[in-house]
Amino acid sequence: TNEKPMKTMYLSDLAIMYFPNSTKHSAVTQLRRWIKLNPQLTNRLQELHYQPRQRALTPLQHAAILEYLGEPD
């Protein structure tokens, strides 16, 4: 496959992609809520050493969020 390797991504940048009409702070709060409400995603992120106050996502954490929540519109 021609997929480019994913880079580290800021949670706030990803949150804005999911919630483009929100402020950055509000988007991050909402994305964190979605993560918390998805037990499988929460477990997967814990396996990947995600910390709740973390600002930057590793490529594997980013991929897990996309896998469980789908691509942002």
Side-chain angles (χ1 to χ4, degrees):
T1 62
N2 296 4
E3 289 185 47
K4 285 191 253 174
M6 294 175 88
K7 294 186 189 124
T8 298
M9 177 172 226
Y10 285 101
L11 187 68
S12 58
D13 293 338
L14 184 60
I16 284 292
M17 291 167 74
Y18 279 104
F19 306 101
N21 299 321
S22 298
T23 64
K24 192 177 275 195
H25 178 79
S26 173
V28 168
T29 300
Q30 186 64 32
L31 182 55
R32 284 197 170 121
R33 187 175 300 130
W34 276 19
I35 290 169
K36 205 184 293 186
L37 290 172
N38 188 317
Q40 292 149 317
L41 175 55
T42 300
N43 289 340
R44 180 66 183 125
L45 288 174
Q46 284 173 346
E47 290 169 4
L48 297 171
H49 309 288
Y50 173 79
Q51 301 296 317
R53 290 271 148 227
Q54 193 173 314
R55 287 203 200 124
L57 299 168
T58 68
L60 287 175
Q61 292 167 348
H62 180 193
I65 291 171
L66 295 180
E67 180 184 335
Y68 286 93
L69 298 182
E71 294 277 344
D73 290 335

